[in-house]
């Protein structure tokens, strides 16, 4: 039975996208392994890692800070995936599908940030 972070929808989404993004870069040209592939994989990994790090922080302000970093990494990954299709490293269909899922993740992270901020306001009122 999973608990804590594994129950957080945005974390599960980010982890799933990271794994799919990782496998989608397996067939990039060899000379892109240390450029595009490395950059895409690192930013995809950073999304889930920043969500996890923020989850473990004590203050609401710290939690939100890491979520904003995760959003930046998600947007970076999305843009690099779309650019990879323009370079013919990925099919347009695959890139569009991954980009759409990153857009959904970005929306979900924004919703979670709003939830945390509202929770913070309620704790200040008490």
């Amino acid at each position: 039975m999973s608990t804590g972070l594994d129950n957080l929808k945005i974390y599960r989404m980010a982890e799933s996208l990271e794994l799919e993004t990782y496998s989608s870069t397996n067939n990039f040209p060899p000379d892109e392994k240390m450029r595009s592939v490395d950059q895409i994989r690192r930013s995809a990994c950073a999304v889930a890692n920043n969500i996890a790090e923020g989850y473990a922080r004590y203050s609401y302000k710290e939690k939100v800070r890491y979520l904003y970093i995760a959003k930046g990494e998600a947007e970076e990954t999305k843009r690099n995936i779309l650019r990879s299709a323009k370079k013919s490293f990925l099919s347009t269909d695959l890139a569009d599908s991954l980009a759409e899922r990153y857009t959904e993740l970005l929306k979900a992270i924004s919703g979670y940030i709003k939830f945390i901020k509202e929770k913070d306001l309620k704790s200040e009122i008490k």
Side-chain angles (χ1 to χ4, degrees):
M1 183 168 138
S2 60
T3 60
L5 186 60
D6 290 323
N7 287 328
L8 188 61
K9 181 181 176 182
I10 60 170
Y11 180 76
R12 291 192 318 267
M13 290 170 73
E15 187 175 59
S16 174
L17 270 167
E18 175 189 349
L19 297 174
E20 191 170 339
T21 298
Y22 185 94
S23 67
S24 73
T25 59
N26 282 336
N27 295 321
F28 276 43
D31 63 326
E32 288 297 324
K33 295 291 182 196
M34 295 310 241
R35 289 181 234 158
S36 298
V37 172
D38 182 57
Q39 186 61 37
I40 290 169
R41 287 178 175 180
R42 283 187 299 114
S43 62
C45 180
V47 179
N49 286 346
N50 278 290
I51 292 169
E53 189 158 354
Y55 183 83
R57 296 297 174 150
Y58 177 74
S59 75
Y60 293 124
K61 185 177 180 180
E62 282 185 297
K63 290 178 184 298
V64 169
R65 180 174 157 260
Y66 280 96
L67 290 170
Y68 279 124
I69 294 168
K71 281 185 71 170
E73 297 290 348
E75 187 65 40
E76 176 184 343
T77 306
K78 176 183 166 180
R79 295 295 152 192
N80 278 321
I81 286 168
L82 291 170
R83 210 166 24 259
S84 292
K86 291 177 183 176
K87 296 175 185 176
S88 300
F89 300 157
L90 288 175
S91 72
T92 302
D93 288 344
L94 176 57
D96 289 345
S97 173
L98 286 169
E100 179 59 34
R101 290 180 57 208
Y102 272 102
T103 298
E104 292 303 314
L105 175 59
L106 286 159
K107 290 176 185 177
I109 294 171
S110 291
Y112 190 56
I113 289 170
K114 182 179 177 185
F115 169 77
I116 289 173
K117 286 182 173 181
E118 288 172 358
K119 197 172 177 182
D120 186 26
L121 283 174
K122 287 178 185 174
S123 71
E124 288 178 10
I125 294 172
K126 289 183 180 179

